[in-house]
Amino acid sequence: MARAFRLRAPHAFLVLALAFDTFMINHQTVAFTPHSVSTTQRRLGSAIPQRRPSSSLRSSNDGGNKFDVTRPSFDLYTLRSIRGDALIRYNTLNQSEPLRINLYALATLSLFSYTAINEAVVGEPATPAGTVATAAGGCFALYRFVRECGRRSQKLVRMEKELNAELLAVRLPNGPFADRPYGGSPAVQLRSLKGKNRILAICGDRMQLAEALLSARVLRRRLAQASALVVAVPTDGSSAVDWGIGPEEIQAVPFLAEAVDYRGGENWVDYFRSLTGGGDGGSEEDGGAGGAGDGLAWLGLTYTGKSFGSGKGSAPRLLEILGQTLLPLDALDEADEADRRSASSDATAAVLELQKNFYDALTGGDLEGLNALYSGTDNAPEVDEVLAEGGRVDAWEKCLEDGARPAGMTISGSDVLLVSDTEAWSTCIEFPPGAGFESGTLLAVQRWSRPAAAAGDAGWQLRLHQTIPWTPGSKAGGTLRCDRRGCTALAREQESRYNWRGMID
């Protein structure tokens, strides 16, 4: 009888283990079962009886038949409350994960219970070798269980951050004929812009935003062609004028949206503080300061509201982001005219004429004309960066050889940004010879400078020329940087340094 009694112990343990496993699986399905039933009912009508929604769904305040799927639900694996819609999305994309976690949990319990199970089944104490082996196996299973739960928690946190961004609000810029750049425009939350605009939000103080937004100002026309909005989030109450952006510039090309603290929504600075890990008074890394920390931070969102990148401490490299993520919506037109709108039309015309001279020399193999444009300039830091990483520069003599130069290439859509009396930028779209419709176009940027003592609109010299493939539906495979020494090419790697995932992940 004693032997028979001992044989019941493992059966009881297995029953408890199976009950634990069933409970864990049921815990995961309860969050999305009502959603599935609701979808099925919409398809089949009244053929399926109504069910009461779970705690992750609650009625909305408008009294309709909608449910608030954002209501937090407790997740047993991460031991914390998670946004209901984040949990639904995650469980839909990772349906096998709960079973994997449960198997690791079951293996951990079974292996650590080896001594008791062996004595109950065999009637003899466990051997030392068996005890050590099962203890090692139990530690390994426990490690895998904790690792899987940790990965689940990290992914859920990322999804929550992405979904929280949809509660942020902006005010869209007005057209060129309005009295004020944002006057009278209603605040809209980012979730209402899904499917319409991509978002690039940059958070920092006045000096940081002025520096970070320079590339957005240079590429403002390309951002509009990509249906992308830049949102500047100041931590010190500064405005567009403090960043060097006038009302005419904002209204000429609608690229800069105004961050708004929407009532009942998310606060922009608090949101960036949650991304960078700062508390109410700032973290130690931030020096204990408030706001989003001492360093600049940025975040990019796609049409669907998912993050395509984020970073902290340095400004986003917008040209590379355009080539990788913010692609143009429509095929670029070779007949697109140059934009000559500027506060100083004479200076704009001078830079546009120099840009034309550069492409004439580039496509015609005119080395003397090219050297004249680069005369008196220093080495570009962008090219020095490539050389420091082991890159190589091909001299202009080689780049202009027959078969190497882009003979027959045309440009369109040129524009100019005059930053100061000594600095200007120009952009255009390049159409290489033989490029078919909707293929082969490149985005080019040039930086110009001149001495402070230069008179009138003369004295502009080319310092940097950079291109990147920019075609609808095709990501860039590399970029080209050129200065007075020649050109160097950078190819895209599998894990690009521009794939910023750390902050939101």
Side-chain angles (χ1 to χ4, degrees):
M1 292 298 293
R3 178 110 179 166
F5 175 77
R6 288 176 180 173
L7 288 174
R8 293 192 186 100
H11 291 292
F13 169 75
L14 291 176
V15 170
L16 289 174
L18 290 174
F20 170 78
D21 183 66
T22 304
F23 171 74
M24 297 286 276
I25 295 177
N26 288 339
H27 171 75
Q28 292 304 311
T29 59
V30 70
F32 58 82
T33 297
H35 176 75
S36 302
V37 170
S38 176
T39 303
T40 308
Q41 289 172 347
R42 285 197 296 270
R43 294 177 179 174
L44 302 181
S46 58
I48 296 180
Q50 299 287 333
R51 291 189 182 182
R52 184 178 181 180
S54 71
S55 59
S56 64
L57 306 176
R58 58 184 174 90
S59 298
S60 60
N61 295 329
D62 58 5
N65 294 325
K66 297 181 181 179
F67 294 97
D68 182 12
V69 295
T70 65
R71 182 175 180 178
S73 298
F74 185 78
D75 182 60
L76 189 61
Y77 295 125
T78 59
L79 299 179
R80 68 183 188 88
S81 294
I82 306 292
R83 277 184 57 143
D85 49 353
L87 201 56
I88 291 172
R89 183 202 290 184
Y90 184 82
N91 289 334
T92 303
L93 298 175
N94 302 272
Q95 297 183 10
S96 64
E97 185 195 64
L99 178 61
R100 188 166 61 250
I101 295 178
N102 293 337
L103 290 176
Y104 285 136
L106 182 61
T108 301
L109 293 175
S110 301
L111 291 170
F112 282 137
S113 303
Y114 165 76
T115 303
I117 294 175
N118 186 80
E119 186 177 355
V121 175
V122 181
E124 298 178 358
T127 62
T131 302
V132 172
T134 53
C139 291
F140 176 76
L142 179 61
Y143 159 74
R144 297 300 292 265
F145 172 78
V146 173
R147 189 187 69 169
E148 292 295 326
C149 290
R151 289 180 174 178
R152 176 185 178 89
S153 178
Q154 292 177 355
K155 294 178 181 178
L156 283 171
V157 167
R158 178 193 178 197
M159 286 187 176
E160 278 192 305
K161 290 178 179 179
E162 289 178 346
L163 292 170
N164 288 338
E166 69 182 14
L167 302 178
L168 298 167
V170 297
R171 186 172 285 111
L172 302 180
N174 292 321
F177 301 107
D179 295 335
R180 293 174 295 172
Y182 304 105
S185 299
V188 294
Q189 289 185 310
L190 296 188
R191 58 184 169 188
S192 65
L193 299 179
K194 285 185 177 181
K196 302 176 183 178
N197 297 98
R198 299 134 162 175
I199 302 296
L200 179 64
I202 307 175
C203 182
D205 58 29
R206 181 178 66 86
M207 296 298 296
Q208 292 166 347
L209 289 177
E211 181 180 355
L213 291 175
L214 177 58
S215 60
R217 297 171 60 195
V218 171
L219 296 164
R220 61 196 183 281
R221 193 174 181 183
R222 314 310 162 191
L223 290 168
Q225 290 174 320
S227 188
L229 289 173
V230 177
V231 184
V233 183
T235 58
D236 54 2
S238 56
S239 63
V241 176
D242 301 319
W243 312 325
I245 308 176
E248 298 82 5
E249 185 177 337
I250 297 174
Q251 293 177 254
V253 181
F255 75 100
L256 184 64
E258 184 182 36
V260 178
D261 290 337
Y262 195 76
R263 187 176 62 180
E266 194 83 11
N267 179 281
W268 276 98
V269 176
D270 290 342
Y271 179 76
F272 270 96
R273 185 187 298 127
S274 69
L275 293 184
T276 57
D280 293 338
S283 63
E284 279 186 17
E285 184 179 353
D286 296 331
D294 293 338
L296 179 133
W298 66 272
L299 168 69
L301 300 174
T302 64
Y303 280 128
T304 60
K306 294 183 178 180
S307 167
F308 65 75
S310 60
K312 180 182 178 183
S314 60
R317 302 200 179 194
L318 190 52
L319 186 65
E320 283 83 356
I321 293 177
L322 282 166
Q324 287 289 302
T325 306
L326 304 180
L327 304 175
L329 296 183
D330 303 316
L332 301 171
D333 190 358
E334 195 169 354
D336 192 9
E337 296 183 355
D339 184 4
R340 299 179 181 272
R341 292 173 297 180
S342 174
S344 177
S345 57
D346 293 339
T348 298
V351 174
L352 287 175
E353 183 64 24
L354 289 173
Q355 184 190 60
K356 179 180 179 300
N357 295 341
F358 167 74
Y359 279 101
D360 288 343
L362 179 65
T363 57
D366 184 3
L367 181 60
E368 292 184 2
L370 200 63
N371 288 335
L373 291 171
Y374 278 109
S375 175
T377 60
D378 299 326
N379 297 338
E382 292 83 353
V383 177
D384 289 338
E385 178 186 11
V386 179
L387 297 179
E389 297 293 333
R392 184 191 66 183
V393 171
D394 292 330
W396 280 113
E397 291 83 356
K398 184 177 181 180
C399 295
L400 297 180
E401 292 177 353
D402 291 338
R405 67 176 184 268
M409 183 175 67
T410 60
I411 63 172
S412 73
S414 301
D415 65 343
V416 175
L417 174 69
L418 297 172
V419 180
S420 65
D421 291 337
T422 60
E423 182 181 2
W425 293 76
S426 61
T427 74
C428 66
I429 303 299
E430 298 179 349
F431 294 83
F437 184 68
E438 294 188 357
S439 65
T441 54
L442 298 96
L443 171 59
V445 178
Q446 296 90 30
R447 183 169 77 246
W448 307 84
S449 64
R450 65 175 180 174
D457 299 318
W460 292 105
Q461 300 292 325
L462 183 60
R463 290 205 61 190
L464 173 70
H465 169 70
Q466 185 172 357
T467 64
I468 193 168
W470 201 51
T471 305
S474 179
K475 291 186 177 182
T479 182
L480 188 72
R481 299 178 184 178
C482 308
D483 66 359
R484 66 183 184 86
R485 293 167 289 184
C487 295
T488 181
L490 288 83
R492 184 180 66 183
E493 297 180 355
Q494 187 67 25
E495 284 192 28
S496 172
R497 62 185 295 180
Y498 305 121
N499 184 20
W500 304 269
R501 299 178 55 194
M503 192 170 64
I504 200 166
D505 278 343

